[in-house]
Amino acid sequence: MTLHDDATLVLKGYAPEHGTGDGQAELRQAYLDHLALHGDGMWKACEAGHVTASALVIDPEHGRVLLTLHRKLRMWLQMGGHCEPGDATLEAAALREATEESGVPGLTLLPGGPVRLDRHPIPSPCNWHLDVQYAALAPAGAAERISEESLELRWFAYDEVASVADTSVVRLLEATRSRL
């Protein structure tokens, strides 16, 4: 099975809560339509946009999340990025990105598949990131280690996230907490 096939299956199985009014069902269909039209829709080279994978690193025991101050965007975000040829699944891509960017070994994805979807524009030639967002649980005693993609890593209490991050990260945290 290819990563494209896996992404299609994951998205077909993604069941956003109805009645939330946040467009998750529409995004799910847009992602599926994109993949149906673009055999290269998983890769950065796809100028119509491409699927990315991210994970919010969360420490429920201490009520906090680890965010990265993204080097290029200069925004506090969850860990994530482009899928790579060695990624067998979207879950593997999200876990790889979270581990690489956080430096935290032993992360595990929250069961149940993706937590949210988020589509956002990026500079040409790529145009769109179609982000499939997971949550990663930090092991006890997790210690972060900054990567070259970050200016800074910092743990934030749940109630601090809205003051530092955009609404996409806030919604991801809310959706994650509802599944804990």
Side-chain angles (χ1 to χ4, degrees), residues 12-26:
K12 285 181 178 179
Y14 175 65
E17 292 188 30
H18 295 289
T20 59
D22 63 0
Q24 289 292 288
E26 292 82 1

Side-chain angles (χ1 to χ4, degrees), residues 44 54 67-82 97 101 120 122-123 129 146-154 156 164 169:
K44 189 176 181 179
S54 68
L67 298 179
T68 177
L69 183 57
H70 194 276
R71 182 170 296 281
K72 291 181 182 175
L73 299 176
R74 306 216 185 261
M75 295 172 60
W76 288 105
L77 300 170
Q78 76 275 12
M79 314 303 156
H82 297 108
E97 285 286 339
E101 292 184 14
H120 47 272
I122 58 171
H129 273 179
I146 197 163
S147 76
E148 62 187 39
E149 295 184 39
S150 301
L151 291 172
E152 186 177 350
L153 289 172
R154 188 182 311 162
F156 291 94
V164 297
V169 178

Side-chain angles (χ1 to χ4, degrees), residues 7-17 20 22-33 35 51-54 78 90 113-120 129-135 167-173 175-176 179:
T8 300
L9 286 174
V10 167
L11 290 163
K12 285 181 178 179
Y14 175 65
E17 292 188 30
T20 59
D22 63 0
Q24 289 292 288
E26 292 82 1
L27 274 180
R28 174 186 170 271
Q29 190 56 54
Y31 284 29
L32 287 168
D33 292 346
L35 290 173
V51 173
T52 58
S54 68
Q78 76 275 12
L90 269 179
V115 177
R116 283 189 52 82
L117 305 176
D118 181 68
R119 177 177 57 190
H120 47 272
H129 273 179
L130 310 176
D131 197 29
V132 179
Q133 301 176 324
Y134 291 84
T167 57
S168 172
V169 178
V170 173
R171 287 181 180 150
L172 176 57
L173 174 58
T176 299
R179 288 186 32 187

Side-chain angles (χ1 to χ4, degrees), residues 83-104:
C83 295
E84 296 180 1
D87 296 326
T89 64
L90 269 179
E91 283 189 351
L95 189 58
R96 175 188 52 74
E97 285 286 339
T99 302
E100 286 176 0
E101 292 184 14
S102 71
V104 176

